[in-house]
Amino acid sequence: VFASVRDKNVLPKGAQLLPLVPNVKPLLETCKSNIDRVLPCGHITKVKCTDLLQNKLPTCHEPVATELPCGHTTNVNCTNLLQKKMPTCYEPVSTRLPCDHTTVVVKCTDLLQNKLPTCHEPVATELPCGHTTKVKCADLLQNKLPTC
């Protein structure tokens, strides 16, 4: 155990008396150097001496390859990853529309949220009056039929 006090009577048993060091805080406050520090996430970054004096560690902006819930991989900012802030996936994916008429390419996030484009394929359908007409597939799925 070390101490930097002048009175030997207040030292705990086994402590050694060290010479008083001149106040170095003003020197450190003007220091412009950057020092390598390990962040809590394990990445190394440069930190200014003045920030270290104030216990200010920067957030980590290192990109980390991460698998998104959809299975695609992307680089995520380390701090966002630690805070479980996952980005939206914009990877293009090919899918068939629910009506099975067309294959479309949409953003992965749109597919996951079931935000698909409407189908404009003409479909022959029978109206309540018995006549046959062609309507857009999307209109038929929404039961939007023309009047006869």
Side-chain angles (χ1 to χ4, degrees):
V1 179
F2 294 98
S4 59
V5 293
R6 289 190 186 275
D7 187 356
K8 290 183 183 184
N9 295 329
V10 294
L11 288 176
K13 186 176 180 179
Q16 296 176 345
L17 183 64
L18 296 177
L20 286 175
V21 178
N23 191 352
V24 294
K25 192 172 180 181
L27 291 174
L28 291 175
E29 287 175 349
T30 60
C31 178
K32 304 290 184 209
S33 295
N34 288 325
I35 299 168
D36 284 339
R37 282 291 180 241
V38 178
L39 297 173
C41 61
H43 290 115
I44 298 172
T45 190
K46 300 267 187 206
V47 181
K48 292 179 187 173
C49 282
T50 52
D51 289 343
L52 281 177
L53 281 174
Q54 298 169 11
N55 285 331
K56 288 184 187 176
L57 280 178
T59 56
C60 185
H61 298 287
E62 286 289 321
V64 179
T66 305
E67 185 175 320
L68 299 174
C70 60
H72 291 115
T73 304
T74 189
N75 284 330
V76 179
N77 173 308
C78 183
T79 298
N80 289 343
L81 185 62
L82 291 173
Q83 295 172 353
K84 300 193 186 301
K85 293 181 183 176
M86 298 304 273
T88 302
C89 183
Y90 294 105
E91 284 289 319
V93 291
S94 180
T95 188
R96 300 260 324 148
L97 291 178
C99 62
D100 211 31
H101 282 131
T102 319
T103 299
V104 293
V105 176
V106 295
K107 292 181 277 187
C108 182
T109 185
D110 291 341
L111 180 62
L112 292 174
Q113 296 173 15
N114 206 25
K115 293 180 181 176
L116 299 174
T118 56
C119 179
H120 298 287
E121 285 285 319
V123 178
T125 189
E126 187 176 314
L127 298 174
C129 63
H131 292 116
T132 302
T133 187
K134 287 193 175 191
V135 294
K136 285 191 258 178
C137 178
D139 291 341
L140 183 62
L141 290 174
Q142 294 177 4
N143 215 13
K144 293 180 182 176
L145 299 176
T147 56
C148 186

